[in-house]
Each structure stands twice: as C-alpha cells, then as structure tokens.
Amino acid sequence: MSTGNPDPDPRNTPGLEPGGGVSPGDTPPGESSTSEAGPRQETSKGWAMAPLIVILTVAALVAGFFLAYALLL
C-alpha cells in the first residue's frame, strides 16, 4: 500500500481559481491538518490532596474493620 501526499496540488484541484481562490458558491477544499486546532489548556497533574486523604482514610478503616473481625473470630 502506497501513501501519497495528502495535500492536494492546487494546479489539479477542481474549483480553485488561479492564485488559490475559490469560485463564488463553490465549496473550498478541506483543511490539510488540524494539529493546531485550538488553544492549549493547562491541565493539572496528579491527584488533589483532599481526595487522596479521603480514599486512604476509607481504605484504612475498611482494613481495620477486617483485621478486627479476623482477630475476634
């Protein structure tokens, strides 16, 4: 399977006028790339401290319950 150049040649693209313009009422060719589609958003990395403390507390309580249950049997 061979892959060609995904960008159309403006000289062979139907509907384009000399200079790369589009005729009135015609649909322009699709974009060649969307790599710069929008602004980048800063994302936080890692867990926030409060949810992590809650999860660890619940896990310790559950583990303590099962440990106490095992010792009382």
Side-chain angles (χ1 to χ4, degrees):
M1 183 166 121
S2 66
T3 58
N5 185 0
D7 295 329
D9 185 5
R11 294 172 294 185
N12 298 332
T13 304
L16 289 182
E17 295 178 339
V22 179
S23 303
D26 200 2
T27 304
E31 293 289 328
S32 63
S33 174
T34 57
S35 63
E36 298 294 327
R40 294 181 182 252
Q41 296 179 353
E42 294 296 324
T43 57
S44 63
K45 292 183 171 41
W47 284 74
M49 193 55 84
L52 187 60
I53 290 172
V54 170
I55 291 171
L56 291 176
T57 303
V58 169
L61 288 173
V62 169
F65 171 77
F66 284 114
L67 181 63
Y69 187 74
L71 292 176
L72 292 175
L73 286 180

